[in-house]
């Protein structure tokens, strides 16, 4: 959902070094929690973005349901950038994208990176005044089963930290 690359170069594929505050145990727990969120909501895939040490960017920390290389262009995104995960965190609100046309209209530069037919929800992870990151969930097609373009299911909202 983004096209920012560090220093203008593409990020290498394969394993990434851990973020300064992210050790192997922390990463394993993030993997486990993201896997539970994806399983419990019935989505196709998910990703978790956490603030980088510079506090100006979000860093792709873990993914499940799709290869990390799929989101390589999103390894780091500017918090000020026109991308759903940054907008969700900046504005402290759920960003729901029900179809590719809406995604292309709202985020034209980012839509080029992900030309597939899916629905997505980017939800800020916030407690009190602290922003922890953004949860990104993907559904195949234009909306989750039984849902309209109005938004994700109550289970997906709960996984994203929102009350139904």
């Amino acid at each position: 959902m983004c096209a920012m690359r560090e220093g203008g170069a593409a990020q290498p594929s394969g394993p990434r070094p851990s973020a300064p505050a992210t050790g192997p145990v922390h990463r394993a727990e993030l993997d486990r929690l993201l896997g539970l969120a994806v399983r419990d909501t019935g989505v196709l895939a998910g990703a978790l973005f956490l603030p980088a040490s510079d506090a100006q960017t979000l860093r792709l920390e873990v993914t499940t349901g799709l290869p990390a290389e799929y989101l390589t262009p999103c390894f780091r995104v500017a918090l000020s950038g026109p991308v759903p995960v940054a907008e969700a965190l900046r504005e402290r609100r759920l960003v729901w994208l029900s179809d590719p046309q809406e995604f292309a209209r709202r985020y034209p530069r980012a839509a080029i990176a992900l030309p597939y037919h899916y629905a997505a929800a980017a939800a800020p992870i916030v407690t009190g005044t602290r922003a922890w990151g953004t949860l990104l969930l993907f559904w195949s097609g234009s909306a989750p089963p039984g849902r309209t373009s109005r938004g994700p299911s109550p289970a997906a909202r709960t996984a994203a930290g929102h009350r139904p």
Side-chain angles (χ1 to χ4, degrees):
M1 298 197 140
C2 44
M4 181 178 168
R5 292 167 167 76
E6 281 186 289
Q11 294 296 316
S13 59
R16 296 183 320 276
S18 295
T22 306
V25 173
H26 184 79
R27 183 175 302 281
E29 183 65 4
L30 291 175
D31 281 333
R32 185 184 75 75
L33 292 171
L34 181 60
L36 289 172
V38 166
R39 185 198 72 207
D40 291 350
T41 57
V43 298
L44 175 68
L48 179 64
F49 291 80
L50 300 178
S53 58
D54 65 7
Q56 300 300 308
T57 57
L58 289 172
R59 176 188 166 125
L60 175 61
E61 199 61 42
V62 294
T63 64
T64 190
L66 69 150
E69 292 78 22
Y70 180 76
L71 292 174
T72 295
C74 303
F75 182 71
R76 288 178 82 88
V77 296
L79 270 172
S80 60
V83 294
V85 294
E87 183 178 307
L89 196 58
R90 264 194 330 268
E91 297 180 10
R92 306 289 202 268
R93 68 174 181 84
L94 180 72
V95 173
W96 172 245
L97 301 163
S98 61
D99 63 59
Q101 291 79 21
E102 178 186 8
F103 183 62
R105 181 181 51 77
R106 290 174 61 187
Y107 308 99
R109 289 179 53 200
I112 293 169
L114 298 173
Y116 305 104
H117 190 63
Y118 61 87
I125 303 168
V126 178
T127 56
T129 60
R130 181 156 182 194
W132 296 93
T134 305
L135 174 64
L136 178 62
L137 300 175
F138 291 99
W139 288 260
S140 60
S142 61
R147 292 285 144 193
T148 66
S149 63
R150 283 182 257 146
S153 70
R157 287 181 181 275
T158 300
H162 293 269
R163 292 186 176 91

